[in-house]
Amino acid sequence: MNSIPTNSTPANGRRYWRSLDEMADTPEFKDWLHREFPVGASEMVEDGSTRRQFLKIMSASFALAGVATLGAGCRRPEEKLVPYGQQPENFTYGEAQYFATAMPTRTGAIPLVVKSYEGRPVKIEGNALFPSSNGGTDRYAQASILDLYDIDRAKKFKHDGKEVSREAALSFLDELSKKFAANSGEGLAFLAESSTSPSRARLKKIIAQKFPKAQWFTYDAIDSGIHQRAATQAFGQSVKPVFHFDKAKVVLSLDCDFLGGEDDSHNHIRKFAAGRKAEQGMSRLYAVESLFTLTGASADHRLRVSVAEFQKIAAAVESFLKTGQKVDHEDEFVVKWLKECLLDLGKAGQDGLVIAGQRQPIEVHLLAYTINAANGAIGNTVTFVPAVENSSANLTSLDAGTADTLVILGGNPAYNLNLAPKSKTVVRLGYYEDETAEKASWNFPTTHYLESWGDAKTSEGITVPVQPLIQPLFGGITDLEFLARLAGESQVGSYEIVRATFGGSDESWKKFLFNGFGADGNETVSVSYDGQAVAKAMEAAKWSLAPTKDSLQVIFFRDAKVDDGRYANNGWMQELPDPVTKMTWDNAVLVSRKTAKELGLANGDVVEISLNGKSVRGPIWVQPGMADYSLGLALGYGREKAGRVGTGVGFNAYKIFSGKYIETGATVKKSGDTYVLACTQHHWSMEGRPAVREFNLSDAVEAAEKNENIAEEKFHGVEPPIVKSLYPNPLDEAKKTALHQWGMTVDLNACVGCGTC
């Protein structure tokens, strides 16, 4: 949402607009507002249709939507339910039960409490008992319960595409274990996603001891490990940063969407909101970025630059740190912006925080730590915990087929890594029969985390249990059981594995499961900033070239809805509007207004993007706030084997993705085709009422000192220009009998628009 001055701007503030069409007040936009409701609803203005007729129209629309949904196959799987022969102790029919568990992520886990009826999980919320938590989750956790009941998930054990029994598949794992135990694991390779599970780490060590010649690779389609790698390099020891936005008075984001696309955003949002209370003194957020992100939308001061400009900004920041006066940059606006920002950070001292985004090269992360160290923020707004080691994957040997047997644990590398393994035998444990399953010799269906025993470490280093609420609906196998069988362990049950890892007394174990977290995680690591190592790395930095009209810069980013593609078959996530573009059921090529104008492009134009000899086609979407000569491409779409919901939705940006999130040298060519994108940007018109009402913090402080209510003073009594309404206004003194009353207040200082609610 942006603001512009206009002749019709009210005296008490600026006018806000939600789209370029609304800003221009185009005839198409006016027609859209007129027809926003179902066909015929707008005719009430002319023919005086009754409320009953209006509800008939709406009912027909809802009925049609229901038929369409059922036609799409969004139904729970049919299963036989047998009533209890004897009612269990401490159980009452119809009363909900709640269980603590956790959802594992790439870099941690989200502590949860799940609501269940008669053994069926129905609702996920955050664990309010978790230390320093208000029970927060993210949109991925909220939507993950739909994946539990997804009828397109993998249900069968298969060999060469043919169904085999569970016993036959498990017997194959036992034979595989014996085979590689005899040759110390020569020819065996593992390709796994990142995990913070202590139990998986323990099994991995057992495998390394039994199969010393085996190779273990860790890969993630969306690489979130840059924060850990940069911290390890800057401080000379294996550590992982924890960012305390609640302690920060001034925050500088260097292309870091910590409120949206970064991992652990549910924690970042909670901490950031804690520092945005007007009565306590609000923190100030500066954002330098190329994409228009949720973090940029929440910033007090935002600087829009191309990614290549970060080289000049880094040099300008370094010069300021050395001289304390000069900011060296040819753009006067950038000089002024940076100088004010750095002076503000300097005043904040240890209460300042600089954070770099996962898309940025390690040099920008090192620059952030340089500023934090200079301000004394290390140990205050950024602390460190011991790192969970995950070796990164070099896929050259896998592509070359040097491994006789390749074991793939989770993920979908055939889709998001374009991996075509040449190994003789490919064994895959996965949640869907997807693109990777098609290339595997053996397919093992894995369980949902709500069906599994497991464990994980949160971003703060606290151990949390992953305990099941339901038996596996389709008889899958957990990753812990899978690895234990491959390792030839006698103890292969997931519960027994996690219990053995936890250790301790039965009482402490019960408390661990009841609370949903352990007593650890308070361990912070004392670090010492290695200025020489950082300076050496900065000197050797290789920065991106400046983009031009003929050599565009491509920015790949994690999608707000489907993540790296794993939620492509989740109807809730596909239906959820993107927090920034408000687009549903698609991704697009995001460009700035200037770039679109110079290239002769408009919304919906299908273009071909060429980069490094590869190409992909997608529709254009003009996005205000984008850097010029930059293309924003969301990853995770264009799935070929996602399921009946996600197959064929959007275009596959992985086709031109080489693992670098920022690349220069792309070209764009119009194909002549057009494509209609579904967008909710214009929905829910305010009919002339102000979408946002605002006042300065200084005004609020002054009003508080006078014991006045600034909201009451500024906005009470402002009547919206409504001609007709379905319901009488409950504030109208002449109609005190009004029964329909509803109201909600949203603190827009704290709300970041993430879409989780």
Side-chain angles (χ1 to χ4, degrees):
M1 186 177 290
N2 299 271
S3 61
I4 55 170
T6 67
N7 294 332
S8 60
T9 300
N12 65 337
R14 297 174 291 181
R15 177 193 166 204
Y16 285 82
W17 46 272
R18 294 173 296 170
S19 70
L20 297 176
D21 287 336
E22 182 177 353
M23 180 185 71
D25 202 22
T26 62
E28 292 80 9
F29 174 73
K30 291 178 179 178
D31 183 65
W32 165 257
L33 292 185
H34 188 61
R35 299 286 177 179
E36 180 176 356
F37 294 105
V39 176
S42 60
E43 307 309 326
M44 289 193 302
V45 178
E46 286 79 16
D47 63 13
S49 297
T50 63
R51 173 173 174 270
R52 178 177 296 179
Q53 180 64 23
F54 171 77
L55 293 178
K56 283 182 179 179
I57 296 171
M58 293 300 293
S59 298
S61 299
F62 290 144
L64 180 61
V67 171
T69 301
L70 290 174
C74 294
R75 296 175 293 176
R76 289 188 178 182
E78 295 180 5
E79 294 183 22
K80 295 179 181 179
L81 298 177
V82 181
Y84 292 115
Q86 181 177 354
Q87 181 169 315
E89 188 177 353
N90 300 322
F91 176 80
T92 304
Y93 283 101
E95 285 190 4
Q97 292 181 297
Y98 298 85
F99 297 88
T101 186
M103 174 180 163
T105 65
R106 297 178 187 87
T107 57
I110 302 177
L112 303 173
V113 171
V114 182
K115 183 179 183 180
S116 176
Y117 281 107
E118 278 75 59
R120 296 290 187 209
V122 296
K123 187 67 175 74
I124 289 173
E125 294 297 346
N127 187 347
L129 294 179
F130 189 76
S132 69
S133 171
N134 65 347
T137 62
D138 64 11
R139 51 189 172 272
Y140 302 114
Q142 290 290 333
S144 66
I145 196 166
L146 189 62
D147 288 340
L148 172 67
Y149 299 108
D150 190 347
I151 58 175
D152 287 327
R153 56 185 284 195
K155 308 181 187 71
K156 306 294 184 182
F157 294 84
K158 291 187 175 181
H159 175 46
D160 291 336
K162 298 178 180 179
E163 182 182 343
V164 297
S165 67
R166 177 187 178 94
E167 292 72 23
L170 297 182
S171 176
F172 166 74
L173 286 184
D174 295 337
E175 294 173 5
L176 210 59
S177 176
K178 294 176 182 177
K179 171 185 174 181
F180 288 108
N183 68 356
S184 300
E186 186 173 0
L188 176 63
F190 293 85
L191 183 62
E193 291 184 296
S194 293
S195 169
T196 62
S197 166
S199 290
R200 201 184 90 166
R202 184 169 67 85
L203 289 174
K204 182 181 172 183
K205 288 182 179 179
I206 293 173
I207 289 173
Q209 292 170 356
K210 291 191 174 182
F211 311 133
K213 294 182 180 179
Q215 297 175 293
W216 185 290
F217 301 110
T218 302
Y219 96 98
D220 293 294
I222 305 295
D223 178 19
S224 302
I226 184 68
H227 293 289
Q228 179 175 318
R229 295 195 297 273
T232 299
Q233 185 169 341
F235 299 98
Q237 53 184 310
S238 185
V239 291
K240 176 183 176 182
V242 178
F243 302 106
H244 301 276
F245 295 96
D246 50 337
K247 297 181 180 179
K249 301 299 182 185
V250 178
V251 179
L252 170 59
S253 164
L254 298 174
D255 196 34
C256 180
D257 187 18
F258 62 87
L259 298 177
E262 295 270 336
D263 274 1
D264 213 35
S265 62
H266 72 288
N267 259 334
H268 298 331
I269 291 171
R270 174 178 56 80
K271 293 177 181 179
F272 177 72
R276 300 287 284 184
K277 304 297 182 184
E279 62 274 13
Q280 300 172 0
M282 287 176 57
S283 63
R284 186 174 290 114
L285 171 60
Y286 294 85
V288 184
E289 61 181 19
S290 304
L291 290 172
F292 187 35
T293 68
L294 278 178
T295 302
S298 300
D300 301 286
H301 305 280
R302 177 179 183 267
L303 182 62
R304 179 183 69 106
V305 297
S306 71
V307 176
E309 282 288 298
F310 275 88
Q311 177 180 6
K312 297 178 182 178
I313 289 174
V317 170
E318 280 192 298
S319 70
F320 183 83
L321 291 176
K322 292 176 181 177
T323 65
Q325 296 177 351
K326 185 179 180 183
V327 176
D328 189 13
H329 197 282
E330 66 269 16
D331 190 323
E332 291 184 7
F333 176 79
V334 174
V335 169
K336 183 178 179 181
W337 195 97
L338 284 175
K339 191 168 184 177
E340 292 295 331
C341 171
L342 293 171
L343 287 173
D344 212 1
L345 274 171
K347 291 177 183 177
Q350 67 172 7
D351 294 329
L353 174 61
V354 184
I355 179 171
Q358 64 187 39
R359 285 188 296 272
Q360 286 296 317
I362 198 167
E363 292 78 19
V364 176
H365 290 259
L366 296 177
L367 173 65
Y369 286 125
T370 300
I371 303 174
N372 287 326
N375 284 344
I378 304 299
N380 186 42
T381 57
V382 55
T383 58
F384 300 89
V385 296
V388 176
E389 293 297 335
N390 280 311
S391 58
S392 59
N394 180 355
L395 302 181
T396 305
S397 59
L398 297 181
D399 285 335
T402 55
D404 173 79
T405 300
L406 173 62
V407 177
I408 302 176
L409 295 174
N412 189 3
Y415 161 68
N416 48 40
L417 288 183
N418 298 310
L419 179 68
K422 298 180 177 64
S423 301
K424 181 179 177 181
T425 303
V426 178
V427 185
R428 197 293 180 92
L429 176 70
Y431 198 73
Y432 289 98
E433 293 184 12
D434 50 22
E435 293 88 344
T436 301
E438 193 174 33
K439 300 179 184 299
S441 315
W442 285 85
N443 276 297
F444 290 73
T446 191
T447 54
H448 193 274
Y449 72 90
L450 292 176
E451 303 170 328
S452 309
W453 280 104
D455 51 17
K457 290 271 191 181
T458 66
S459 58
E460 300 97 336
I462 300 175
T463 305
V464 291
V466 180
Q467 61 173 319
L469 278 84
I470 189 172
Q471 287 284 346
L473 293 176
F474 303 111
I477 181 174
T478 68
D479 62 334
L480 296 182
E481 181 182 352
F482 184 88
L483 287 173
R485 288 184 177 276
L486 260 179
E489 290 287 280
S490 57
Q491 191 179 70
V492 295
S494 298
Y495 172 84
E496 289 76 14
I497 293 171
V498 176
R499 182 67 183 89
T501 303
F502 180 82
S505 64
D506 287 343
E507 286 302 314
S508 61
W509 171 249
K510 291 177 183 177
K511 185 177 180 181
F512 176 59
L513 296 181
F514 179 82
N515 291 336
F517 57 89
D520 58 349
N522 295 320
E523 179 187 1
T524 57
V525 178
S526 178
V527 297
S528 178
Y529 173 71
D530 190 348
Q532 291 184 346
V534 170
K536 187 176 180 180
M538 294 292 287
E539 289 175 4
K542 295 181 180 179
W543 302 91
S544 299
L545 298 174
T548 64
K549 175 184 174 182
D550 300 317
S551 181
L552 301 167
Q553 198 157 58
V554 181
I555 307 168
F556 299 94
F557 62 95
R558 175 192 188 189
D559 187 69
K561 302 181 299 172
V562 303
D563 196 352
D564 60 0
R566 67 188 63 198
Y567 291 102
N569 207 52
N570 190 302
W572 290 353
M573 294 300 263
Q574 291 282 11
E575 193 73 14
L576 177 71
D578 182 274
V580 175
T581 67
K582 300 303 177 185
M583 199 178 301
T584 64
W585 289 92
D586 257 310
N587 59 336
V589 182
L590 306 181
V591 297
S592 70
R593 294 179 67 191
K594 178 181 177 181
T595 305
K597 184 177 181 180
E598 291 192 16
L599 296 176
L601 303 173
N603 282 351
D605 285 345
V606 177
V607 298
E608 182 178 73
I609 304 170
S610 299
L611 179 66
N612 297 329
K614 300 177 181 178
S615 63
V616 68
R617 285 163 52 107
I620 287 290
W621 186 259
V622 179
Q623 176 59 53
M626 279 286 298
D628 296 330
Y629 308 128
S630 298
L631 310 175
L633 301 185
L635 299 169
Y637 288 87
R639 295 284 307 278
E640 296 177 0
K641 291 197 68 177
R644 65 197 71 192
V645 173
T647 298
V649 175
F651 67 93
N652 184 5
Y654 284 114
K655 288 183 177 180
I656 60 172
F657 180 58
S658 65
K660 296 179 181 179
Y661 293 92
I662 303 161
E663 285 207 69
T664 305
T667 58
V668 165
K669 181 175 66 175
K670 291 178 70 171
S671 67
D673 297 332
T674 58
Y675 183 84
V676 178
L677 293 160
C679 180
T680 66
Q681 189 93 38
H682 295 154
H683 287 204
W684 308 300
S685 166
M686 296 297 288
E687 300 295 339
R689 292 169 293 183
V692 174
R693 287 169 172 168
E694 61 181 9
F695 48 84
N696 291 327
L697 180 60
S698 57
D699 295 335
V701 172
E702 183 180 347
E705 291 174 351
K706 296 179 181 179
N707 201 26
E708 295 176 351
N709 187 325
I710 190 169
E712 184 82 10
E713 182 72 22
K714 277 184 172 288
F715 307 126
H716 183 64
V718 178
E719 290 295 331
I722 297 178
V723 179
K724 288 187 177 183
S725 175
L726 290 177
Y727 303 121
N729 186 350
L731 297 178
D732 193 331
E733 292 296 325
K735 300 174 181 177
K736 291 184 178 180
T737 57
L739 300 177
H740 304 283
Q741 301 184 33
W742 180 87
M744 179 174 69
T745 301
V746 177
D747 183 357
L748 294 182
N749 292 325
C751 175
V752 299
C754 65
T756 302
C757 61

